[in-house]
């Protein structure tokens, strides 16, 4: 599995984002390209420690989430139309160029943390190490860039 901490993979993601434009349409799902760019910022903000979700989950759900945790960063692609947490659902219109620039900035900040060992706890899945964070963030971005055909 590729990682956003790998220089070539980082550049691949940036190049794919640059191929998007305000008229890009999804192959599945309902988000506009601007909404997708905003949505992709959220998990990176959680990893960067700039967004904390106020989601509380019970013991049983935490136990179930531990079972699904490896799916977040393994080699298997995510299926289309997966659900997402409420805080990551973007329904209001977004400006393409502004959101694209923000996403690239956030990806760069994340990628520069490749030597970090002190990551915030994920609100659903608990702790991830650096390798897992890098793979998970790549997998999420790859999923949505594929959604938009780049």
């Amino acid at each position: 599995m590729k990682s956003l901490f790998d220089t070539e993979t980082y550049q691949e993601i940036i190049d794919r984002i640059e191929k998007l434009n305000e008229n890009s349409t999804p192959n599945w799902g309902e988000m506009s390209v601007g909404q997708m760019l905003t949505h992709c910022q959220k998990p990176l903000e959680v990893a960067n420690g700039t967004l904390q979700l106020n989601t509380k989950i019970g013991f049983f759900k935490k136990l179930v989430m531990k079972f699904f945790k490896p799916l977040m960063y393994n080699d298997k692609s995510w299926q289309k139309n997966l659900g997402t947490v409420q805080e990551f659902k973007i329904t209001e219109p977004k400006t393409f160029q502004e959101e694209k620039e923000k996403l690239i900035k956030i990806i760069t900040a994340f990628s520069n943390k490749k030597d970090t060992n002190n990551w915030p706890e994920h609100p659903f899945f608990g702790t991830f190490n650096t390798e897992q964070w890098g793979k998970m963030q790549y997998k999420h971005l790859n999923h949505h860039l594929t959604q938009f055909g780049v």
Side-chain angles (χ1 to χ4, degrees), residues 43-144:
L44 288 155
E45 290 172 337
V46 169
N48 285 341
T50 58
L51 174 64
Q52 291 189 346
L53 303 181
N54 294 322
T55 308
K56 303 283 187 211
I57 63 171
F59 173 77
F60 181 72
K61 196 167 186 177
K62 263 191 179 177
L63 193 60
V64 170
M65 292 302 212
K66 285 189 184 219
F67 175 74
F68 289 105
K69 182 178 175 179
L71 300 176
M72 300 302 292
Y73 52 83
N74 68 12
D75 290 338
K76 187 175 179 184
S77 297
W78 290 342
Q79 48 183 303
K80 299 173 184 175
N81 297 311
L82 277 176
T84 191
V85 296
Q86 191 64 37
E87 293 89 345
F88 293 178
K89 290 183 181 178
I90 310 300
T91 56
E92 64 277 358
K94 294 293 182 178
T95 306
F96 169 77
Q97 190 62 37
E98 181 180 322
E99 297 306 321
K100 181 177 112 173
E101 290 170 9
K102 280 202 281 189
L103 178 58
I104 290 171
K105 183 177 178 181
I106 293 167
I107 290 170
T108 301
F110 175 82
S111 183
N112 287 335
K113 291 183 167 199
K114 63 183 169 196
D115 295 324
T116 297
N117 290 316
N118 187 20
W119 293 97
E121 188 166 311
H122 191 280
F124 297 113
F125 298 104
T127 59
F128 287 102
N129 64 33
T130 302
E131 178 184 3
Q132 292 165 338
W133 273 115
K135 289 178 178 182
M136 179 172 56
Q137 297 302 332
Y138 169 80
K139 190 171 179 176
H140 184 245
L141 290 165
N142 180 61
H143 174 77
H144 286 294

